[in-house]
Amino acid sequence: MSGKLILRQLLRQGIVAQRMPMFKRFESATTASGATNFNKDTLKQLVNTNKVVIFMKGNPEAPKCGFSNAVVQILRMHGVQYDAHDVLQSDELRQSIKEFSDWPTIPQVYINGEFVGGCDILLQMHQSGDLIEELKKVGIESILLKEADNKDNTKAD
Amino acid sequence: MSKYTSKYLEEKLADKLGAQYVNAIDESDGCGGKFSVTIVSEAFRGKTLLQKHRLVNSALAEELKEIHAFSQKSYTPEEWEKEELESAGFGVQATTAGGEGLRIKTLED
């Protein structure tokens, strides 16, 4: 519990955001799948190419929408490696992923092939600590968790 | 451009989700393309975060085709109360005592 509280403080202060290494592959819609026809099967493959896969506007180095940028920043804070698909590269992907996920907006986040949500949900999971738990379930240890643990250990009272 | 207003969204959500509190903010300076919405409803009870958001999305399925930026916060009455306490600086512990104990009226202002 105390770890979680400390974590919340850290997050509020935003001090851990800076020095995270950037681990990510990102691919445009067409290079990632080699396909321009996004049927259910190709999309299913696409959301499973990495433990965390996102669909966004722009790419992680240059997001072209505030919501997509928020998702990128959150994942970076947790030190997560992920695949990103730029829906602006393919109007067909943009439409078909919305249908596939049954979700009307971009960005979209998948963990272990399962749809997690958009920007609001990821942000809320980040703030509540649930994101750390979800990442842990698929074998990803969030950098924020390590930071919080270190903090707990040094504060021996 | 979309034809929707904050008032329209509030009324629709109140109607469709039986929401007891809805606040929609038009963040597009009136052009109707960007909204941020807070919804408090019994309909969210027992639902996961994703399910809550899906419920709202489906209530606004038509509208979201035109509204290109949409942000939502969806709470049950209890979660909303807790949220209000936290943002008022009472910390996370304050509301957990079986729903009794500390109660602050938050839904009318």
Side-chain angles (χ1 to χ4, degrees), chain A residues 6-39:
Chain A
I6 288 167
L7 190 56
R8 291 187 72 118
Q9 285 170 0
L10 278 177
L11 301 187
R12 291 242 162 91
Q13 292 161 14
I15 53 171
V16 283
Q18 310 306 324
R19 53 188 187 282
M20 300 300 151
M22 299 269 278
F23 301 120
K24 63 186 173 287
R25 305 185 316 214
F26 52 86
E27 308 171 42
S28 76
T30 40
T31 57
S33 66
T36 49
N37 174 24
F38 297 100
N39 61 34

Side-chain angles (χ1 to χ4, degrees), chain B residues 7-94:
Chain B
K7 188 162 177 286
Y8 169 88
L9 292 184
E10 286 174 358
E11 283 170 0
K12 178 136 192 189
L13 287 168
D15 177 44
K16 280 216 161 187
L17 301 176
Q20 63 188 78
Y21 174 82
V22 188
N23 180 29
I25 299 168
D26 183 345
E27 296 182 326
S28 64
D29 293 328
C31 107
K34 184 177 184 186
F35 288 95
S36 172
V37 181
T38 303
I39 308 141
V40 180
S41 170
E42 290 286 345
F44 297 136
R45 194 174 299 285
K47 296 203 159 43
T48 65
L49 196 53
L50 181 58
Q51 287 168 337
K52 288 176 192 169
H53 282 233
R54 283 202 191 280
L55 202 58
V56 174
N57 288 345
S58 61
L60 297 179
E62 275 307 306
E63 291 79 0
L64 287 177
K65 289 176 188 164
E66 286 189 47
I67 299 169
H68 66 86
F70 182 79
S71 170
Q72 60 165 298
K73 288 186 171 170
S74 306
Y75 304 109
T76 62
E78 287 79 8
E79 288 165 344
W80 172 242
E81 197 167 303
K82 193 172 159 186
E83 187 67 22
E84 289 288 281
L85 282 172
E86 275 193 58
S87 55
F90 284 90
V92 262
Q93 317 291 4

Side-chain angles (χ1 to χ4, degrees), chain A residues 10 14 16 22 34 38 47 58 60 71 76-77 81 84 90 98 121 123 132-134 140 149:
Chain A
L10 278 177
V16 283
M22 299 269 278
F38 297 100
V47 301
V71 164
R76 192 179 61 177
M77 283 174 83
Q81 182 180 2
S90 163
K98 287 181 183 179
I121 288 183
L123 184 60
I132 288 177
E133 298 303 316
E134 289 304 310
I140 300 174
D149 282 349

Side-chain angles (χ1 to χ4, degrees), chain A residues 49-65:
Chain A
T49 54
N50 207 336
K51 284 178 181 172
V52 178
V53 176
I54 70 172
F55 296 83
M56 63 179 288
K57 293 181 180 174
N59 65 55
E61 299 206 320
K64 290 186 177 157
C65 151

